[in-house]
Amino acid sequence: MRVFITKDYEEMSERAFEIVKELVVENPYAVLGLATGTTPLGLYGRMKADHKKNGTSYRHVRTVNLDEYMGLPAVHEQSYAYFMKKNLFDGLDIDLNNTHIENGMAPSAEEECENYNRLLKMLRQDIQILGIGSNGHIAFNEPGTPFNSQTHVVELAESTIKDNARLFKDVSEVPRKAFTMGLKNIMDAKKIVVLANGANKAKAVKEAIQGNMSENVPASILQSHEDCTFICDEQAAALL
Ligand code: PGA
């Protein structure tokens, strides 16, 4: 596991952008595993700006996203499908048919999980971008999730609902369940880049990198990945 400590959020985002750009230029058909949340916004902003300025093309790139709220349609402003379109895809030349995320409105949750696992087998991530929750979760894999888990439905932890409430009008509007890639699906990525910024991530970052590998800290599984890089700003790295 490699750890880069950057001065601030901007430098963290720049480093991540350099890694993604190099991959896409080298392999125009790359599969990008993408994340939502506030952490990757600086990375996504740089990808859009670079596409506009330098014409870096995403025409053949395929994407798979980590997770989606259950019960929100893709057009809902708080859905992760909407987030990705607004914050990244609309600013690139990507073919939306090549972008994938769980269907929050799927009539059968079980079938949706099976379908997504099948898709992930065909579209193995060349790189997986991750944020980390203040409780050590990755995607919506909350503490206690088995390391060998695949796509499944989760009841969100209270701390996650609270963390995400800022994006909704009221905490009561935050969905209580979500679809998420499992930890095994994430570990299948060829390369993983975890981004973390801010003091509220410091404890999770320390436990993920230096703690025991334990299902109580889902991100600690990353210690056993052969190509995983943490990029943390100074505040998130403060306890290392
Ligand atoms: P954040 O979420 O980027 O909004 O901090 C990260 C996460 O919960 O995985």
Side-chain angles (χ1 to χ4, degrees), residues 149-174:
S149 53
Q150 299 202 61
T151 307
H152 59 288
V153 172
V154 288
E155 300 261 355
L156 301 181
E158 277 309 315
S159 62
T160 301
I161 290 170
K162 234 170 73 204
D163 283 351
N164 290 2
R166 69 185 190 283
L167 303 168
F168 289 78
K169 279 196 203 85
D170 187 87
V171 66
S172 65
E173 288 184 15
V174 185

Side-chain angles (χ1 to χ4, degrees), residues 36-40 131-133 137 139 166 201:
T36 49
T38 44
T39 310
I132 181 168
H137 76 201
R166 69 185 190 283
K201 300 293 173 72

Side-chain angles (χ1 to χ4, degrees), residues 10-213:
E10 297 308 324
E11 195 186 325
M12 177 200 81
S13 304
E14 185 63 27
R15 278 223 178 212
F17 164 67
E18 283 163 10
I19 294 170
V20 172
K21 176 163 174 173
E22 190 184 323
L23 182 78
V24 169
V25 168
E26 213 167 83
N27 176 10
Y29 291 84
V31 178
L32 308 182
L34 299 176
T36 49
T38 44
T39 310
L41 286 174
L43 161 64
Y44 296 161
R46 280 166 173 77
M47 289 164 71
K48 290 191 288 185
D50 169 67
H51 166 69
K52 200 165 167 202
K53 184 159 172 251
N54 304 313
T56 305
S57 179
Y58 291 77
R59 197 175 306 278
H60 302 297
V61 162
R62 283 81 49 82
T63 70
V64 288
N65 257 82
L66 292 171
D67 44 17
E68 177 62 287
Y69 287 120
M70 225 175 155
L72 296 191
V75 294
H76 191 288
E77 283 189 13
Q78 300 304 339
S79 76
Y80 285 169
Y82 186 92
F83 175 102
M84 290 309 300
K85 203 168 158 329
K86 181 171 121 216
N87 291 300
L88 184 62
F89 301 149
D90 280 352
L92 303 177
D93 60 344
I94 199 162
D95 179 349
L96 287 179
N97 292 317
N98 289 337
T99 68
H100 305 280
I101 189 163
E102 297 95 332
N103 173 10
M105 298 301 284
S108 160
E110 203 178 316
E111 268 179 38
E112 182 61 15
C113 294
E114 279 172 21
N115 290 342
Y116 210 63
N117 285 329
R118 215 171 298 126
L119 177 89
L120 292 171
K121 281 219 171 68
M122 292 188 298
L123 295 179
R124 183 177 169 207
Q125 308 95 309
D126 290 296
I127 189 170
Q128 177 65 59
I129 303 295
L130 292 179
I132 181 168
S134 59
N135 64 356
H137 76 201
I138 46 178
F140 275 137
N141 294 289
E142 304 287 16
T145 306
F147 278 167
N148 65 359
S149 53
Q150 299 202 61
T151 307
H152 59 288
V153 172
V154 288
E155 300 261 355
L156 301 181
E158 277 309 315
S159 62
T160 301
I161 290 170
K162 234 170 73 204
D163 283 351
N164 290 2
R166 69 185 190 283
L167 303 168
F168 289 78
K169 279 196 203 85
D170 187 87
V171 66
S172 65
E173 288 184 15
V174 185
R176 319 302 278 189
K177 285 187 183 179
F179 288 103
T180 183
M181 267 190 213
L183 294 168
K184 181 169 182 311
N185 303 119
I186 292 172
M187 289 294 283
D188 281 343
K190 292 179 200 161
K191 181 189 210 47
I192 296 179
V193 172
V194 189
L195 305 179
N197 70 287
N200 66 323
K201 300 293 173 72
K203 184 167 167 280
V205 164
K206 184 182 170 58
E207 287 178 347
I209 297 175
Q210 294 176 335
N212 293 332
M213 231 169 69

